[in-house]
Amino acid sequence: MKKAIYLSIMFCVAIALVLNVGEAQKRTGTASATELLIPVGSRGLAMSGANIANTFGIDAIYWNPAGLGRMKFAAEGMISRMNYIADINVNYGAVAGSFGGFGVVGLSVKSLDFGDIPLTTEDDPENESQRFFSPGFVTVGLSYARLLTDAISVGGTVKLVSEKIERVSAATPAIDFGVLYRGLVGIRGLNLGVAVKNIGPQMKYDGTALYRNAVSSDGRRPEQKYKSEAASFELPSVVEIGLSYDGSVGENMVWTLGSTFSNNNLYLDEYRIGGEVGYVMESFRIYGRAGYNALARQQDDNIFKFTVGGGISYAAPGIDITFDYAYRDVDFFTGNQMFSLKLGF
């Protein structure tokens, strides 16, 4: 069992080293399916994503799927909504159930709501026809996680990423996997988390909108339809390594401090730090959270910086209800706000 644990951690670290590309080689802005990087779950966002090593339950599906194996209830459900940049809304829903020694299985769906966009063409640049369209960006994931020991949990997610814009579309599978180690080097409260996300083939658009009318440059062939071949682009693969420390003050006060290093194969490295303070009563739990995100270089490129938020939980008979809120400061745009509701049974 110890060998399996060490091999799991070493495998994740090895993947991290393989995907770690030098700054000079990175191609910022050339990734496909960048919606995979939009966070879900108000608790993690309020801590600026510094919760890779202390995420648990259904919240963990996005941040580190290994944390799903530490679900406290037999079943959990979650919905969240974020007001993203440029009037885009992000909707998310997930359910998960524990199957005893087999582990925990979860299903998640994330979609982007762009609203109605005027359809302008070369013949109708002012949209006098009053036609509209709405892109459809949806990611569906199936997750599995389990405890290997009291200290170690592992998990993964298989995702289908789908994008559709008018008469063209693209789809590709992707996988996430992670390891969570609680009580690192025998220190109670010290946790290590490693997550590798968005590993999959390149995305390429196809569809009838890529056909164009054209006349052959040689010969006497009449005007025909020719297809423009779209380029393919890599997924924004990410490796995240996090440390956290949990503690308490007295019988009712608990706190968590976490940090995360994030390496994106098509973006700059990120450093995140965040914390959570909670007051626990018999039936209620109240939390306050904050975090900060910084880029390794070129600080002017970082439009997401500090985050704040909080949450409240109520343990009713037979059900646990949690409401979380997060706010993220955004340069050049209105700040992001996220609301999450979780139910535990």
Side-chain angles (χ1 to χ4, degrees), residues 51-75:
N51 62 326
I52 298 300
N54 61 9
T55 185
F56 55 89
I58 201 167
D59 251 333
I61 291 178
Y62 172 80
W63 302 103
N64 184 350
L68 180 64
R70 296 190 171 276
M71 193 169 69
K72 298 179 179 180
F73 303 96

Side-chain angles (χ1 to χ4, degrees), residues 102-278:
F102 174 75
V104 181
V105 177
L107 177 67
S108 59
V109 179
K110 178 167 71 173
S111 66
L112 272 61
D113 180 6
F114 295 87
D116 292 329
I117 302 175
L119 180 59
T120 57
T121 64
E122 183 179 356
D123 298 327
D124 187 13
E126 301 298 329
N127 191 35
E128 294 181 358
S129 62
Q130 290 296 295
R131 294 184 299 169
F132 299 86
F133 73 100
S134 181
F137 284 33
V138 179
T139 301
V140 180
L142 179 64
S143 304
Y144 170 76
R146 63 169 297 179
L147 293 173
L148 296 182
T149 69
D150 291 340
I152 303 293
S153 60
V154 296
T157 300
V158 178
K159 301 181 289 189
L160 178 61
V161 186
S162 174
E163 298 182 356
K164 184 177 182 180
I165 304 177
E166 192 51 4
R167 291 178 290 117
V168 294
S169 61
T172 189
I175 61 172
D176 303 344
F177 54 91
V179 178
L180 192 58
Y181 192 157
R182 298 183 66 85
L184 185 64
V185 297
I187 301 177
R188 184 177 181 181
L190 182 62
N191 311 312
L192 168 69
V194 180
V196 181
K197 307 176 186 176
N198 310 327
I199 306 299
Q202 297 185 358
M203 286 190 72
K204 181 179 180 179
Y205 273 89
D206 196 3
T208 58
L210 295 177
Y211 285 91
R212 295 289 184 270
N213 292 325
V215 178
S216 175
S217 60
D218 57 351
R220 297 183 178 180
R221 287 180 293 176
E223 183 179 82
Q224 293 178 287
K225 292 284 186 181
Y226 290 87
K227 183 180 179 181
S228 301
E229 287 293 333
S232 58
F233 294 92
E234 299 176 33
L235 296 179
S237 301
V238 177
V239 178
E240 296 180 332
I241 302 175
L243 285 173
S244 71
Y245 188 81
D246 306 329
S248 61
V249 179
E251 297 181 356
N252 301 101
M253 189 74 69
V254 295
W255 59 271
T256 296
L257 181 64
S259 63
T260 296
F261 168 74
S262 178
N263 172 259
N264 187 322
N265 66 331
L266 296 173
Y267 191 56
L268 302 174
D269 294 338
E270 297 179 66
Y271 298 95
R272 306 167 185 164
I273 185 170
E276 175 185 69
V277 177

